[in-house]
Amino acid sequence: MKIFDTQSQKLREFTPLEDDKVKMYVCGPTVYDSPHLGHARCYITWDMVYRYLKFKGYDVTYVRNITDVDDKIINKAKETDSTPEEIASKYYAEFEKAMQELNVSQPTIEPKATENINEMVDIIKLLVDKGFAYSVNGDAYFDVSKFIKYGRLSRQNIEDLKAGARVETSDIKKNPVDFALWKAVKDETELGWQSPWGKGRPGWHIECSAMSKRYLGETIDIHAGGSDLIFPHHENEKAQSEAAFGKDFVNYWMHNGFVRINQEKMSKSLRNFVTIQDVLDKYDANAIRFFILTNHYRMPVDFNDEALQAAKNGVKRLKNAYEDVKVEIGEEKIQEAKDLLSFLFDEIAKTGQIPFHRIDKMQELEEKIPAEIMNDIIIHFKNFIAAMDDDFNTPKALAIMFEMANCAQKARQLQKDESAAFCVGSLVKISEVLGFDLKKAEKAGDEVTAQLMDLIIDIRHMVRKEKNWALSDKIRDRLTAIGITLKDQKDKTTWSFQ
RNA sequence: GGCGACAUGGCCAAGUGGUAAGGCAGGAGUCUGCAAAACUCUUACCCCCAGUUCGAAUCUGGGUGUCGCCUCCA
């Protein structure tokens, strides 16, 4: 498996530091406002990576932090006449809800910055002791000139940074590029913690160094986040951690591209952001995930209504394959096929080999999977693995899902139920690895609606038997007008919300 | 100014040097009482110029254009 590493700027074969264990850290959100589509892209991307690594058989520890102490939170609290804690907990709740609705899996550990203040102070102390940091007036700064490798990750050199007009100058810093590890409170009422340098709060970058060390160790496999974090955030984290512990901080740095809107980056400062909730009001989680995964994770992706609509239509086709086959052969058969295939797929994913040594299992597979599609299924599946192994080429992986859907529909139309079951079973399996839920209805109706629909369809069935097309079409048209679509299939009629 | 990314059909998008996956939209057909869905077929001189090569979307150089980071940002 190859992963593009930001530091070396190339694809590198992925090898975990320790056996099959993967330690993965993703920079989480600062909870000071509603989560937007940019967050959706970021966390869906890393969720996909997490799911795929697990599928490959790795024992993944996935840490995604919550930044709940920060100037932006404090400012928001002042503006809204509330406390930083209230702001953080309010937006944290919104974030959690959005992640859940997007079918983003829960990380292994989701630590909060405020629960790791002592760990941060310890690192700062270590840095001061080692001479990599200095304190002035209750602040503590990292002395960039002491860390030779500074700039390695983002390929910046200190001189150029100084020359850039955007570096904040400050009288108390030794060097304009030095960054804050600890910031003294301005007055005693402000949010802060005691430290050897007085009451204050941590700088932005130190939290990730502290949490990464605490939950994963001094050197980790993967550290990921949005590409805007490369500099200065990740550069600074790296400097702190490596200076403090004297070890490489991260083996593979990964960064996702941005969501753009009208050719511009979507961001809070540009005020052009669309919240996740806005999008969820119109499109479901599958459509949003599809929209994001049709682009390679490192490329920018342009948000607009047509793109989301196209994604929605694409998902619909995949879901139709599942639903059409389900109507014909039943959910149990699909589930059975999927369970059987899971064994095969999991083995191939982990070892790259067809598990011929599992004689009993393989015999069962060969008996149950029609020979005519066995080969196709394995080839499709291997293509899927190859695509994903190539730096998570999800656009290619999606193309393979469409091939599986096509295989299922063709088999269904030829009345080859077994083949259809296995094609759709492999489609469902792969869709789950990518975090889709093809079984989910777009909108859930209540029990009464379901029963009413059964009744209406029943009555219409009788009308159609009498060839009263005028009335049966009228029923269908009226339902369409309320947003319910009827599909007359062979001997069954199904319905769904538009 | 420094660092970096991208330019492929109407739109989105993949692409390992040997003449272009896939999706959306459109068109035609099959199926269906009609629809819907599905299935089949259907449209590309890969931004420009030069070079390397038997051969380049793919490599090199030079343009042009768009975007990002260097200040908070996923």
Side-chain angles (χ1 to χ4, degrees):
Chain A
M1 175 157 78
K2 289 193 166 67
I3 287 182
F4 186 86
D5 167 41
T6 306
Q7 175 155 299
S8 56
Q9 288 286 294
K10 59 184 181 200
L11 288 171
R12 287 172 51 213
E13 187 59 37
F14 180 68
T15 315
L17 296 162
E18 192 193 333
D19 306 322
D20 62 348
K21 292 188 170 59
V22 176
K23 296 167 191 156
M24 170 169 163
Y25 187 98
V26 170
C27 287
T30 302
V31 282
Y32 74 104
D33 206 349
S34 302
H36 57 71
L37 246 199
H39 295 104
R41 188 200 191 172
C42 178
Y43 302 116
I44 285 171
T45 295
W46 305 120
D47 178 45
M48 171 277 290
V49 168
Y50 173 48
R51 285 170 191 263
Y52 186 67
L53 288 171
K54 281 198 292 184
F55 178 59
K56 287 280 283 187
Y58 293 112
D59 175 11
V60 189
T61 308
Y62 174 22
V63 176
R64 189 188 65 203
N65 71 287
I66 296 292
T67 300
D68 59 349
V69 50
D70 177 273
D71 286 356
K72 293 186 294 296
I73 296 173
I74 292 166
N75 292 339
K76 184 101 175 190
K78 281 179 190 155
E79 283 165 27
T80 56
D81 202 26
S82 59
T83 67
E85 291 84 351
E86 283 165 358
I87 295 295
S89 86
K90 176 181 175 209
Y91 292 109
Y92 172 61
E94 266 191 42
F95 176 76
E96 290 292 281
K97 180 166 172 273
M99 290 302 113
Q100 214 161 21
E101 287 185 37
L102 288 173
N103 203 25
V104 168
S105 38
Q106 187 70 21
T108 321
I109 305 164
E110 189 178 57
K112 294 194 169 98
T114 51
E115 292 162 359
N116 289 276
I117 302 289
N118 291 338
E119 284 73 12
M120 296 183 217
V121 169
D122 288 345
I123 295 177
I124 301 170
K125 269 196 238 167
L126 200 55
L127 288 169
V128 172
D129 289 348
K130 287 191 170 186
F132 285 108
Y134 55 91
S135 63
V136 195
N137 304 341
D139 290 347
Y141 294 96
F142 187 89
D143 189 342
V144 167
S145 68
K146 296 279 167 59
F147 187 72
I148 303 153
K149 285 196 281 182
Y150 193 80
R152 171 88 199 281
L153 174 65
S154 55
R155 292 166 303 287
Q156 306 280 344
N157 71 64
I158 299 175
E159 294 311 311
D160 289 335
L161 286 171
K162 282 184 201 162
R166 290 167 149 190
V167 175
E168 188 191 338
T169 52
S170 156
D171 298 338
I172 58 174
K173 288 199 275 185
K174 285 189 189 169
N175 193 319
V177 290
D178 290 352
F179 55 90
L181 297 166
W182 190 261
K183 296 174 176 180
V185 291
K186 294 194 184 73
D187 63 76
E188 276 303 309
T189 61
E190 226 178 59
L191 179 67
W193 291 261
Q194 284 307 326
S195 81
W197 315 280
K199 190 179 175 187
R201 60 178 186 274
W204 174 35
H205 317 294
I206 194 70
E207 56 171 277
C208 290
S209 288
M211 290 184 273
S212 182
K213 153 82 162 54
R214 175 170 177 185
Y215 299 102
L216 296 170
E218 290 173 355
T219 304
I220 68 168
D221 294 292
I222 296 172
H223 192 116
S227 49
D228 54 343
L229 298 182
I230 298 171
F231 192 90
H233 186 53
H234 287 162
E235 190 71 58
N236 292 354
E237 274 182 48
K238 179 172 144 66
Q240 293 160 354
S241 292
E242 296 188 353
F245 310 125
K247 288 183 185 165
D248 279 345
F249 178 42
V250 169
N251 205 188
Y252 299 85
W253 286 97
M254 296 179 73
H255 294 95
N256 64 277
F258 284 110
V259 176
R260 300 198 307 196
I261 185 158
N262 298 325
Q263 302 292 328
E264 262 186 334
K265 172 181 166 180
M266 176 182 294
S267 79
K268 285 174 182 166
S269 47
L270 289 171
R271 301 207 165 184
N272 61 353
F273 66 89
V274 181
T275 69
I276 294 173
Q277 204 51 56
D278 288 343
V279 187
L280 275 169
D281 287 343
K282 264 184 104 174
Y283 304 95
D284 77 335
N286 284 323
I288 295 171
R289 189 172 284 253
F290 187 99
F291 163 69
I292 286 165
L293 297 185
T294 41
N295 292 65
H296 184 88
Y297 76 91
R298 284 190 277 119
M299 298 291 122
V301 44
D302 222 80
F303 168 80
N304 56 68
D305 218 46
E306 300 84 79
L308 257 298
Q309 190 58 47
K312 181 183 172 180
N313 294 348
V315 168
K316 187 80 186 139
R317 206 142 91 77
L318 296 175
K319 280 176 83 166
N320 281 337
Y322 170 73
E323 272 156 24
D324 290 352
V325 173
K326 187 178 96 177
V327 167
E328 224 131 302
I329 68 170
E331 200 170 356
E332 299 75 28
K333 279 237 160 164
I334 296 174
Q335 188 58 41
E336 225 172 83
K338 194 196 126 197
D339 289 345
L340 214 52
L341 284 170
S342 286
F343 161 75
L344 183 64
F345 285 4
D346 290 351
E347 285 291 320
I348 297 177
K350 283 173 195 167
T351 65
Q353 307 285 327
I354 300 174
F356 292 121
H357 61 284
R358 297 288 300 275
I359 298 161
D360 48 331
K361 266 284 191 185
M362 285 307 292
Q363 208 158 358
E364 189 187 357
L365 280 166
E366 278 157 13
E367 276 164 21
K368 291 194 172 156
I369 304 177
E372 57 179 20
I373 57 151
M374 181 71 154
N375 223 25
D376 264 9
I377 284 185
I378 290 180
I379 286 170
H380 280 148
F381 182 68
K382 284 194 161 177
N383 287 341
F384 170 74
I385 297 280
M388 293 297 284
D389 277 359
D390 183 18
D391 197 30
F392 307 97
N393 191 334
T394 54
K396 222 182 210 175
L398 291 181
I400 294 160
M401 284 173 62
F402 280 99
E403 281 169 24
M404 288 174 164
N406 185 255
C407 148
Q409 292 283 26
K410 272 198 264 192
R412 179 182 66 84
Q413 292 188 342
L414 293 169
Q415 311 272 303
K416 294 181 174 170
D417 289 1
E418 290 301 310
S419 296
F422 283 98
C423 288
V424 117
S426 59
L427 170 64
V428 171
K429 173 74 185 174
I430 283 180
S431 73
E432 286 171 358
V433 173
L434 293 176
F436 292 100
D437 182 2
L438 299 183
K439 298 176 183 174
K440 200 186 94 196
E442 250 134 277
K443 265 188 253 170
D446 56 26
E447 193 47 35
V448 177
T449 311
Q451 290 186 20
L452 279 174
M453 284 309 300
D454 283 349
L455 175 65
I456 292 168
I457 286 170
D458 218 31
I459 293 168
R460 185 163 164 278
H461 184 65
M462 291 187 252
V463 173
R464 290 179 75 215
K465 263 201 164 157
E466 292 161 12
K467 297 196 192 298
N468 187 345
W469 307 127
L471 182 53
S472 75
D473 288 354
K474 182 167 187 156
I475 293 170
R476 190 173 60 197
D477 292 345
R478 290 285 297 270
L479 285 171
T480 305
I482 330 174
I484 291 173
T485 309
L486 285 191
K487 267 164 79 173
D488 293 325
Q489 285 164 312
K490 281 251 151 45
D491 44 1
K492 256 183 210 160
T493 296
T494 57
W495 68 277
S496 62
F497 288 109
Q498 180 269 328

